[in-house]
Amino acid sequence: METHPDPIPTAAEPDRLEAVALEIAAKMVAALTRLAGNGLALARRGMQDLPFVEDLLRRVIYLMALRLDAPAPAPAAIPKRPAASAPSAEMQREPRARRFRLIEPEQDRDPRRLLTPAECPRVTLMDDTAQPFIPPIQAPPKPPRPRPGFEDRYLRRTQALADALANLDTYAMRMAHWMARQASNGAKRLSPLAAAPAPEHAEIAKTEPAVPVLSDLYLLVLMALGSDTS
């Protein structure tokens, strides 16, 4: 992207920094949306920038959520299901559009898959009373549904991103409710962002969680504008 004409606001100017970040996000979302539905090559090109814009917008939404006072919603009562009946064609609804992903997967988990018992050889001491273990017969698992193609996945993510940009207040409230639930349940994870605060922000993040996120947002803005951070 072209260099922003005005001095880039720092983390010490949160309002201006968020405004610039939103301006960048809006331009990039518009560009990424134009690439959708125009072939695999353009979808691959757009996917190179899509995660970056998602990270940028997610941090803006998080900063908005921190300013909201949202109590944890009470558990919803499970409604009684009506008697089963064959749904008519008119009653069948179109599948819901994909929502923008607010919660980033944690990064401290081991990415390696778990081994099955057959892949874990072990030595067992057998005696006269030992009995071989015979696993119970289980029904074969259902085959997974076919994964949507790359172009379809790109289209869905761009649509979800555009929806989040158009409904920032709604998404910020959703995120605020999630954080309130985490806090009321005594969960260890209170931030929806995957990256932990930098070491210099570890202490202040406990009382001022916006500080490290503003610093991240500033770096993302610099990257988007092509500024030299060296």
Side-chain angles (χ1 to χ4, degrees), residues 25 27 38 45 57 59 72 89 95 110 125 138 154 162 164 166 169 183 191 193:
K27 291 180 179 179
N38 289 291
R45 182 192 302 176
L57 189 60
R59 277 149 183 79
D110 193 333
L125 180 63
Q138 298 179 350
Y154 176 75
D169 291 339
S191 170
L193 307 181

Side-chain angles (χ1 to χ4, degrees), residues 3-70:
T3 303
H4 202 267
D6 299 325
I8 300 174
T10 66
E13 304 171 277
D15 292 341
R16 288 191 60 223
L17 180 59
E18 287 184 48
V20 172
L22 277 176
E23 180 184 351
I24 294 171
K27 291 180 179 179
M28 295 188 73
V29 168
L32 294 174
T33 302
R34 287 194 295 269
L35 298 179
N38 289 291
L40 181 60
L42 291 181
R44 291 189 185 279
R45 182 192 302 176
M47 190 63 81
Q48 296 175 0
D49 292 328
L50 183 61
F52 175 88
V53 188
E54 290 174 335
D55 287 345
L56 181 71
L57 189 60
R58 194 177 289 114
R59 277 149 183 79
V60 172
I61 294 174
Y62 177 50
L63 291 170
M64 295 174 62
L66 289 175
R67 296 192 290 266
L68 299 176
D69 184 14

Side-chain angles (χ1 to χ4, degrees), residues 33 35 38 51 54 94 104-105 118 125 132 135 144 149 162 165 170 174 177 182 218:
T33 302
L35 298 179
N38 289 291
E54 290 174 335
E94 293 294 328
E104 296 177 353
L125 180 63
L165 185 64
T170 300
R174 279 181 53 207
H177 279 303
Q182 295 292 99
Y218 173 67

